[in-house]
Amino acid sequence: MESQLTILLPVAAVWLAAGVVADGLPRLRNTRMLHRRAGWLLVLTLTGVALTAAVLGAGLLSAGTAPVDQAAAGLTLVAGPALVAAVCSVRRIRRLRAGAGAFASAPATPAPHGLRAAAAHPLVGLPLQVTALTTVPAVIAAVGTDLGADPGVTGPAITVGALAVVAIGVRHALRHSRFAERAHPQTPGSARATDPLHI
């Protein structure tokens, strides 16, 4: 059990760190810091994907009840969100980092709302935070408490997890919309169209 926990803890820690860094990206007001944090987030995301794939692959290659098999069984729930993070989040983080890097010649430039809106996009932070959330049952099971063993606990645990995912998604969507609206201010109408005396 301790060996299983030793395998799962680094995976959970990397995904948790990625979720925390992704959550703080839209609050950064400096392009240099945004570029640097986007680089950290890219490294953390790729590391989390690699660790998850390594554990799942080792579990497939190893037949039996070895700790890596138990860890891989615990990470089956993580595979879906990790795949979404690998396909969607990595591409967006690279584009965000490249966009912030365009201001490298002027490092004190405030981060424009367009970049902050891109950093707040749900497909940047949501897959990472959902992946971190799905590692929790595996870690709890490795400690010795199996949430799936008691039907009276499984239902509420699934409900709480689903509500947490919905709340995270709504929060990201609202924050992205707020920054997107600031990035595209409404332009006033043409004076030619509003002046009734214009000929």
Side-chain angles (χ1 to χ4, degrees):
M1 185 177 299
E2 293 180 358
S3 299
Q4 178 187 354
L5 187 61
T6 304
I7 296 171
L8 289 174
L9 277 181
V11 179
V14 168
W15 284 117
L16 178 62
V20 171
V21 173
D23 193 69
L25 280 182
R27 291 194 291 267
L28 298 176
R29 299 180 180 273
N30 186 281
T31 52
R32 171 180 281 180
M33 287 301 300
L34 186 59
H35 180 263
R36 185 181 304 166
R37 294 286 178 86
W40 294 356
L41 183 59
L42 183 61
V43 171
L44 287 170
T45 304
L46 293 176
T47 303
V49 170
L51 287 175
T52 304
V55 173
L56 291 174
L60 289 175
L61 296 176
S62 173
T65 58
V68 68
D69 294 311
Q70 299 172 1
L75 288 182
T76 53
L77 188 63
V78 181
L83 181 62
V84 175
V87 173
C88 299
S89 299
V90 170
R91 181 173 57 88
R92 289 186 174 274
I93 295 168
R94 281 178 176 168
R95 287 168 53 187
L96 174 64
R97 186 170 183 268
F103 296 91
S105 59
T109 304
H113 290 297
L115 277 180
R116 296 174 72 186
H121 195 280
L123 287 179
V124 173
L126 181 60
L128 306 180
Q129 293 175 347
V130 171
T131 307
L133 186 64
T134 53
T135 61
V136 173
V139 173
I140 293 176
V143 172
T145 305
D146 191 0
L147 295 177
D150 186 2
V153 177
T154 305
I158 293 175
T159 302
V160 170
L163 289 176
V165 170
V166 171
I168 294 171
V170 169
R171 179 172 176 268
H172 279 291
L174 292 176
R175 189 162 60 166
H176 172 67
S177 298
R178 186 174 73 247
F179 283 119
E181 288 175 1
R182 293 179 183 177
H184 301 287
Q186 293 182 351
T187 56
S190 172
R192 187 181 295 267
T194 56
D195 188 1
L197 298 179
H198 180 78
I199 300 176

